[in-house]
Amino acid sequence: QGGDCAGFLRTFAERRQAAFLGVSTLMLVLPGQIGLFWGAPMIARELEAGTHRLVWNQAVTRARWLAVKLALTGLFAMAVTGLTSLVVSWWAGPLDKAAAVNFPVFQKSAPLLFAVRGVVPIGYAAFAFVLGVTIGMLIRRTLPAMAVTLAVFAAVQLGMPTFVRPHLREPVQVSAPLSNLALDGL
């Protein structure tokens, strides 16, 4: 085009926008899938089939059985999501540099960026897993627990950026010298 940087950045961003949105969608869906397929059936399947009675009559206590089952699976789910988020953040680094503050090419997808980068997907994965396990324990049936988990998690995924996040205040940072007057003010 004109040989200017803005034209190059625009072309660069437009060519990679489909891949960017696809990867962002993957990161939005991954925590829900963890809650749906790992969390909801974990206890509901045991309660529905009645195998929890066999497990609870073994040498392992109920609390230990549940704690190990939840901790190992929950930590693994969070680790998988964290590694995926790290790879996505690394992959999107050049795209972020191309879409600088003065050149917001990806402005339409800006609300998605918060939910697909950093530690936020890990938090969503932990929430989805705990939500699935809790709903599975309450409903005690695998398929209905999976359906309710999906519905509640989708409502949270849509509700947070739409209704909650716009009303949050930006953090305030204050730097003050350490003195007796400053300590008295605390």
Side-chain angles (χ1 to χ4, degrees), residues 24-40 77-78 81 112 114-116 119-136 139 144-165:
S24 297
T25 303
L26 169 74
M27 285 308 299
L28 285 173
V29 170
L30 180 64
Q33 298 298 316
I34 287 172
L36 184 67
F37 293 112
W38 291 0
M78 291 171 56
T81 307
L112 296 177
F114 181 77
V116 300
V119 297
V120 177
I122 299 170
Y124 273 137
F127 169 70
F129 179 73
V130 170
L131 177 72
V133 169
T134 303
I135 290 174
I139 294 180
M146 291 172 75
V148 171
T149 300
L150 179 62
V152 170
F153 186 74
V156 168
Q157 278 286 69
L158 293 173
M160 282 300 293
T162 306
F163 301 113
V164 177
R165 214 170 286 139

Side-chain angles (χ1 to χ4, degrees), residues 34 38 42 66-83 121-122 125-127 129-130 133:
I34 287 172
W38 291 0
M42 179 173 283
L66 184 63
V68 168
K69 195 167 187 156
L70 292 177
L72 289 179
T73 309
L75 289 175
F76 183 71
M78 291 171 56
V80 165
T81 307
L83 287 173
I122 299 170
F127 169 70
F129 179 73
V130 170
V133 169

Side-chain angles (χ1 to χ4, degrees), residues 43-65:
I43 305 298
R45 179 181 45 224
E46 304 281 347
L47 295 173
E48 188 175 17
T51 56
H52 67 287
R53 291 186 198 106
L54 175 67
V55 172
W56 289 350
N57 289 322
Q58 302 299 317
V60 177
T61 64
R62 296 175 187 181
R64 183 174 179 191
W65 171 77

